[in-house]
Amino acid sequence: MKTRDRKKGIKKEKDKIKEREKKVKTKKKPKKTDVVIDSDSLLSKDSEEMIIENKRRNDSVKKIKTRNRKKDRNRDSGERKKKRGIGKKILIIFLGFALCCVALAMAFFLYIVISTGNFDPEALKNQDQTLILDKDGEVVTTLGAQKRESVHYDDLPQVLIDAIIATEDSRYYQHGGVDLARFIKASVLQLTGHTDAGGASTLTMQVVKNNLTDNSQSIIRKFKDVYLSVFFMEKKYTKEEILELYVNDSCLGGTVYGVEEASKYYFGKDVSQLTLPEAALIAGMYQAPNRYNPYKNPEAAYERRKTVLSLMVRHGYITKEEEQMANAVPIESMLKESSTEEDYYQGYIDTVVEEVERVTGNSPVAVSMKIYTALDRNIQEGLNKVLSGEAHDWEDSEVQAGIAVTNVNDGTIVAIGAGRNRTAGDWNNATQSHRQPGSTAKPLFDYGPGFEYNDFSTYTLFNDEPWGYTNGPSINNWDFGYEGLITLRRALSYSRNIPALKAFQS
């Protein structure tokens, strides 16, 4: 009985297990977090709690990841907004700077227009001559337009036109008054400290500078030249007329103005008769007329002429063979013999012209003036005789001198000995050599007052001995020796320093 009941119980258990297996088979496929219970085992309570905890942990991880992704998106969005903000600020600053530059440029241009004033064509015409008068009111010389011999464009030889264009303004017939590329380049170089960059002035701008603006080197004047050249000169005059104005009013050495006068002064011929080497020489002088003066600096004039001829070859005006033939002509062989009579008062005239230009800012050659001077012809002629060797024997022609004679009553300059063997515009030894006078000071400041106030004579005695200035420092003679008791005559003759100082102290 017990055995039969046990078998029935086992059978019931098996039937229950089979029913559970059927139910399990009919269920959907479990998710990753579901637990599959097979027929041989059941989950304990702890296992269920573990599954729940794992599920909670997985949910927390998902939430953290989602939150981190949101933070990353927010951070990226913030960085992008920050970058866009910086870009906007930079753009605003750049636009503001650009607007300021435009406003300043417009204001500067407006200032140039207002300060330049009206264009005056009459200023381009020849003015009355400048008169330089001596102390008695007599005319010493004349300067200016009436001294020039103006020429028409048709009288200019083509070789001279080509030489000037090639040297001074190679794109003259292409630009409208200003060569913009050259002008910008020269302006930038000058602003960066390259003072030798040149001004890039066209022929038109040089005509304006010579006649309508001043001779200052300021950037203001340069832009005035540009304004007048572009908006007036090039609109009113043809290229030929502008070139005619240029060759007639440019300085070509000292008081020589215009190509006709220069041609006669240097070569003794009309401008229409100039040859290639002569035309190249004149064209080269426009840059620095006194530096390339063939009488004064024949070697510098030769090198400058070579440059002009080379430029003419580069721009296609002459051939290489013509360049070589022109370079073979010596400078001295082209020049006429210089006249010294016309330069008799030239040292004094150069001094007057220099002072007038410094005081007024205008050249007396370009602007008509009447200049009254203190020139004493008798004293000036005496200086000329000394310098020429007529009244004094010089060791050789290389020895130079500079003399300025002043009126002791009012300090006016009555005569100038600018130097020996010089021409117009040469170095003025009397006014341009800014050096200390050396031993020349001894008769002027030491012995001269002694003769006037202390009854000195040529035999006044001085003790040549160790000595010093009143405030202590000692001095020496040129030979670092002493001669003892000597006369004023010997002290001055041998340029002794200590007797001179004693004379001054007395």
Side-chain angles (χ1 to χ4, degrees):
M1 190 69 183
K2 289 182 181 178
T3 303
R4 189 181 300 123
D5 292 338
R6 191 164 46 252
K7 288 181 180 180
K8 286 181 180 180
I10 291 170
K11 186 178 181 182
K12 287 180 181 180
E13 288 295 327
K14 288 182 178 181
D15 292 337
K16 288 180 182 179
I17 290 170
K18 288 180 179 180
E19 287 178 3
R20 282 199 297 270
E21 287 177 351
K22 288 180 181 179
K23 289 180 181 180
V24 170
K25 289 179 180 180
T26 57
K27 287 183 180 179
K28 295 180 179 180
K29 189 176 180 181
K31 296 181 181 179
K32 291 182 180 179
T33 56
D34 295 335
V35 178
V36 179
I37 302 174
D38 59 15
S39 61
D40 296 324
S41 63
L42 294 173
L43 292 175
S44 67
K45 186 176 180 179
D46 292 338
S47 299
E48 290 178 359
E49 290 177 356
M50 187 179 299
I51 291 170
I52 294 170
E53 181 64 27
N54 287 337
K55 185 177 180 181
R56 189 184 299 114
R57 189 180 295 113
N58 290 337
D59 292 340
S60 298
V61 171
K62 287 180 180 179
K63 289 180 180 179
I64 291 171
K65 288 182 178 179
T66 302
R67 191 160 52 247
N68 288 340
R69 281 197 296 270
K70 289 182 179 179
K71 287 183 179 179
D72 291 340
R73 284 197 296 269
N74 292 335
R75 189 185 301 112
D76 293 341
S77 177
E79 290 179 355
R80 285 195 296 270
K81 289 180 179 179
K82 187 176 180 180
K83 289 180 179 179
R84 284 198 296 269
I86 294 173
K88 287 181 179 179
K89 289 181 181 178
I90 293 174
L91 181 61
I92 291 172
I93 293 172
F94 176 76
L95 291 175
F97 179 74
L99 289 173
C100 287
C101 290
V102 171
L104 288 173
M106 293 178 65
F108 181 74
F109 181 74
L110 184 62
Y111 169 77
I112 293 295
V113 173
I114 295 174
S115 61
T116 300
N118 297 326
F119 176 73
D120 182 14
E122 294 298 318
L124 299 173
K125 296 181 180 179
N126 288 342
Q127 305 294 318
D128 292 335
Q129 61 186 356
T130 289
L131 303 179
I132 297 182
L133 303 96
D134 63 13
K135 69 180 184 65
D136 299 319
E138 300 292 330
V139 176
V140 178
T141 189
T142 60
L143 304 173
Q146 297 304 319
K147 188 178 180 181
R148 315 173 204 173
E149 294 185 50
S150 297
V151 294
H152 294 291
Y153 179 84
D154 294 336
D155 297 326
L156 299 174
Q158 189 62 44
V159 67
L160 178 62
I161 296 173
D162 294 342
I164 293 174
I165 297 297
T167 308
E168 294 294 313
D169 190 357
S170 61
R171 288 190 285 270
Y172 176 65
Y173 291 106
Q174 284 76 48
H175 63 67
V178 57
D179 190 338
L180 195 58
R182 281 180 62 213
F183 183 76
I184 293 175
K185 179 181 177 182
S187 299
V188 171
L189 288 174
Q190 288 184 345
L191 290 174
T192 54
H194 295 79
T195 55
D196 59 344
S201 293
T202 62
L203 295 183
T204 310
M205 291 171 63
Q206 292 185 56
V207 171
V208 169
K209 183 184 74 171
N210 291 339
N211 296 280
L212 303 176
T213 58
D214 54 47
N215 290 322
S216 67
Q217 299 300 318
S218 68
I219 194 70
I220 299 294
R221 195 227 77 213
K222 182 69 69 174
F223 276 94
K224 287 182 179 180
D225 293 348
V226 171
Y227 169 65
L228 291 173
S229 298
V230 174
F231 294 99
F232 293 97
M233 287 294 297
E234 291 282 341
K235 302 295 184 185
K236 185 176 179 62
Y237 300 100
T238 65
K239 290 289 186 180
E240 289 74 18
E241 290 172 329
I242 294 172
L243 184 59
E244 182 180 306
L245 290 168
Y246 178 76
V247 299
N248 281 322
D249 66 11
S250 294
C251 176
L252 290 169
T255 56
V256 177
Y257 274 72
V259 291
E260 180 67 18
E261 185 181 346
S263 181
K264 291 181 177 179
Y265 182 83
Y266 294 114
F267 311 121
K269 61 173 67 173
D270 293 333
V271 67
S272 59
Q273 300 173 327
L274 290 179
T275 62
L276 174 59
E278 293 167 344
L281 178 64
I282 287 184
M285 292 181 67
Y286 280 94
Q287 185 185 76
N290 291 323
R291 185 192 311 167
Y292 300 122
N293 186 317
Y295 287 121
K296 174 185 174 183
N297 297 312
E299 292 182 0
Y302 176 76
E303 292 299 323
R304 179 60 180 165
R305 188 183 69 176
K306 282 180 62 177
T307 301
V308 173
L309 292 169
S310 176
L311 289 170
M312 293 181 73
V313 172
R314 178 191 301 178
H315 296 293
Y317 291 111
I318 61 174
T319 64
K320 198 71 178 174
E321 290 74 20
E322 289 174 315
E323 176 193 17
Q324 294 172 353
M325 291 175 62
N327 278 327
V329 179
I331 293 291
E332 293 80 0
S333 68
M334 301 189 305
L335 303 176
K336 74 168 188 176
E337 186 176 350
S338 178
S339 173
T340 57
E341 292 183 3
E342 61 187 23
D343 297 332
Y344 204 67
Y345 302 109
Q346 195 61 55
Y348 196 94
I349 294 169
D350 288 346
T351 305
V352 170
V353 170
E354 179 185 354
E355 183 174 348
V356 169
E357 289 179 344
R358 176 176 55 81
V359 173
T360 67
N362 295 305
S363 170
V365 180
V367 179
S368 60
M369 305 177 185
K370 184 177 285 188
I371 304 172
Y372 296 87
T373 73
L375 174 64
D376 187 319
R377 292 177 187 255
N378 291 328
I379 298 177
Q380 184 65 57
E381 290 169 4
L383 287 186
N384 291 344
K385 290 179 180 179
V386 171
L387 294 174
S388 66
E390 183 179 345
H392 176 76
D393 293 331
W394 296 90
E395 182 178 354
D396 54 46
S397 61
E398 300 299 321
V399 177
Q400 274 295 346
I403 308 169
V405 180
T406 60
N407 186 321
V408 296
N409 296 316
D410 55 20
T412 55
I413 300 176
V414 298
I416 288 288
R420 302 181 61 230
N421 307 315
R422 71 186 297 277
T423 58
D426 281 2
W427 182 263
N428 192 326
N429 290 304
T431 63
Q432 294 177 316
S433 296
H434 296 161
R435 303 171 183 171
Q436 56 90 11
S439 292
T440 307
K442 293 173 183 175
L444 298 177
F445 305 128
D446 304 334
Y447 302 123
F451 281 106
E452 186 170 0
Y453 300 111
N454 290 0
D455 297 325
F456 280 6
S457 71
T458 55
Y459 290 97
T460 298
L461 296 175
F462 293 94
N463 190 8
D464 186 9
E465 60 184 345
W467 199 253
Y469 292 106
T470 305
N471 62 347
S474 60
I475 67 169
N476 296 302
N477 290 308
W478 59 268
D479 61 355
F480 295 95
Y482 308 99
E483 293 189 359
L485 205 61
I486 57 175
T487 64
L488 184 153
R489 180 186 181 93
R490 180 173 178 80
L492 180 58
S493 299
Y494 289 89
S495 193
R496 310 299 290 177
N497 294 333
I498 290 171
L501 178 58
K502 285 187 174 182
F504 179 80
Q505 290 173 337
S506 69

